[in-house]
Amino acid sequence: MRLVIARCSVDYAGRLTAHLPSAPRLILVKADGSVSVHADDRAYKPLNWMSPPCTLKEGDGDVWTVENKGGEKLIITLEEVMHDSSHELGVDPGLIKDGVEAHLQELLADRIETLGEGYSLIRREYPTAIGPVDILCRDADHRTVAVEIKRRGEIDGVEQLTRYLELLNRDPHLAPVKGVFAAQEIKPQARVLATDRGIDCVVLDYDALRGIEDDKLRLF
């Protein structure tokens, strides 16, 4: 991973245009090829980014051009570099889920038809370049469905599933892929964001999945 702290301006050219005026920012260049630009007051979400696969060209005059396969470009003009370092992080072991969350995944995979009649499991922990998808399955119409499972469903979980969907939909063998955000409790803000992005929300009943109570899920 390369970390660059610099005063810079950023221009995006693609389906639309956007401009970030000059300011001190953090630029992350990751081993997967992604480039993201961060401010100090936006939590984890970048101001602008380019997802892999993409190429980075460092031209004359401290101008970086990041371009993806679709021809979209992120042009970063460096005015003053305050820090530039590279670090080898190695292979990440991934997120270790808590017991309830992991058990929810196992139970839902075993009873995948509770998501809807005709659903069938492809596999649990489906690997991607940015981490495993909790469950990959097919619905009654044979469409691919990616399921992200949380104990408590919040906005960051919807963002995580959105990134998975963006990546999975690039695979012609899987696309189109729709998303299901499943949790024992889903916060209102997370539900609004999921709905806006065309992601279904499912409230999971842990006891019902274990066969203790009625086994119907509520699909919203």
Side-chain angles (χ1 to χ4, degrees):
M1 179 180 291
R2 183 179 178 188
L3 295 85
V4 177
I5 298 176
R7 177 172 291 278
C8 63
S9 60
V10 183
D11 291 279
Y12 167 81
R15 290 165 292 180
L16 47 82
T17 59
H19 174 71
L20 292 173
S22 176
R25 297 186 176 96
L26 168 65
I27 304 168
L28 293 181
V29 183
K30 298 176 68 177
D32 62 6
S34 63
V35 178
S36 55
V37 181
H38 299 259
D40 202 20
D41 61 347
R42 299 291 193 280
Y44 64 90
K45 190 171 183 179
L47 297 168
N48 216 326
W49 68 94
M50 192 69 77
S51 301
C54 58
T55 58
L56 168 60
K57 294 181 180 179
E58 299 183 43
D60 297 331
D62 293 323
V63 175
W64 292 10
T65 301
V66 188
E67 184 172 1
N68 65 15
K69 292 194 302 183
E72 297 172 298
K73 294 182 180 180
L74 201 62
I75 301 170
I76 305 172
T77 303
L78 304 176
E79 300 167 10
E80 178 188 1
V81 177
M82 292 164 268
H83 177 85
D84 188 346
S85 64
S86 297
H87 308 269
E88 180 59 53
L89 302 185
V91 178
D92 191 270
L95 179 68
I96 299 174
K97 298 178 180 294
D98 66 34
V100 172
E101 202 169 294
H103 199 204
L104 281 171
Q105 183 193 118
E106 180 182 351
L107 290 169
L108 187 57
D110 287 342
R111 304 178 65 183
I112 198 65
E113 70 282 354
T114 54
L115 287 177
E117 186 176 352
Y119 270 71
S120 60
L121 179 69
I122 296 175
R123 69 168 289 177
R124 291 171 54 195
E125 299 289 332
Y126 185 86
T128 76
I130 57 175
V133 177
D134 286 339
I135 291 177
L136 199 69
C137 56
R138 295 195 188 278
D139 65 13
D141 297 320
H142 303 289
R143 292 177 300 179
T144 309
V145 181
V147 185
E148 179 64 26
I149 299 172
K150 299 293 184 186
R151 186 167 58 85
R152 180 180 294 107
E154 300 184 355
I155 284 178
D156 59 349
V158 179
E159 295 282 7
Q160 182 180 359
L161 179 54
T162 300
R163 293 192 292 272
Y164 287 143
L165 290 172
E166 180 183 350
L167 192 63
L168 292 169
N169 272 301
R170 296 176 188 170
D171 187 338
H173 299 293
L174 297 176
V177 184
K178 72 174 186 177
V180 171
F181 187 53
Q184 288 181 281
E185 174 192 1
I186 299 178
K187 297 295 186 180
Q189 300 93 331
R191 188 184 299 278
V192 169
L193 181 61
T195 301
D196 182 67
R197 295 182 177 180
I199 295 171
D200 291 335
C201 290
V202 173
V203 175
L204 299 174
D205 188 320
Y206 185 54
D207 288 334
L209 282 173
R210 295 167 62 202
I212 295 176
E213 298 179 359
D214 187 88
D215 65 355
K216 292 181 180 178
L217 296 177
R218 289 171 287 164
L219 179 61
F220 294 85

